[in-house]
Amino acid sequence: MKIAIGADHAGYRLKDVVIPFLQELGYEIVDVGSHCADSVDYPDYAVPVCDMVVKGEVERGVLICGTGIGMSIAANKTPGIRCALVHDLFSAKATREHNDTNVLAMGERVIGPGVAQEILKVWLETPFSQGERHIGRINKVKALEAKQELHP
């Protein structure tokens, strides 16, 4: 599986820790930055990751900022993206099973590297349930996106 990952200045350290972890698990990584503590704007990293997911250039995306909040807000502005902000294992599993999320957001200032690695492993290995009720709910979200595209 190919994964795009992006982080702002408050998340690049965690990004640099989880990339080798993901590579050891056999995932191919596309790192869109950032690579230092110089202040940057999180949308500048969320957008390229989400664009790659929507275009099918990668299967999933991972976004990291200080809290994960800004990244998740920016990500969910992209039609076709279902991004979840996750800081625990239960949510990582549930968001894949129930929401078929294609982007994961995390906060470097909220969780440490060990928890982040566990979350990523669970999130990447958990399949979508294909449950009828979950498919119906996702289709309602897609309808909301379509409505927004018609009336921006």
Side-chain angles (χ1 to χ4, degrees):
M1 181 186 302
K2 194 171 185 181
I3 302 165
I5 186 167
D8 69 1
H9 59 282
Y12 86 94
R13 288 175 201 84
L14 183 57
K15 175 182 65 72
D16 289 348
V17 170
V18 299
I19 287 174
F21 170 76
L22 293 171
Q23 289 170 326
E24 287 175 21
L25 292 176
Y27 297 104
E28 182 181 347
I29 305 299
V30 178
D31 181 356
V32 303
S34 81
H35 303 286
C36 68
D38 296 342
S39 183
V40 295
D41 299 327
Y42 56 81
D44 295 339
Y45 298 91
V47 170
V49 167
C50 293
D51 285 348
M52 282 189 258
V53 172
V54 170
K55 291 176 183 173
E57 296 169 3
V58 297
E59 286 85 0
R60 305 259 184 93
V62 175
L63 299 170
I64 306 169
C65 64
T67 62
I69 296 168
M71 285 290 202
S72 64
I73 291 170
N76 281 311
K77 297 298 180 184
T78 303
I81 293 299
R82 288 179 308 282
C83 176
L85 172 57
V86 173
H87 293 130
D88 63 86
L89 298 178
F90 175 80
S91 298
K93 184 174 181 181
T95 195
R96 282 292 308 135
E97 287 179 340
H98 298 189
N99 310 116
D100 195 21
T101 50
N102 50 13
V103 176
L104 176 75
M106 296 185 290
E108 179 178 313
R109 295 175 180 159
V110 179
I111 57 173
V115 173
Q117 290 171 345
E118 290 179 48
I119 287 169
L120 282 164
K121 189 170 184 342
V122 167
W123 185 72
L124 289 165
E125 293 177 355
T126 301
F128 177 51
S129 71
Q130 299 294 331
E132 194 173 316
R133 70 178 194 255
H134 301 305
I135 291 170
R137 292 169 184 157
I138 291 169
N139 286 337
K140 286 184 177 187
V141 170
K142 289 178 181 179
L144 290 171
E145 288 176 346
K147 183 178 176 183
Q148 281 300 113
E149 288 176 7
L150 293 174
H151 307 287

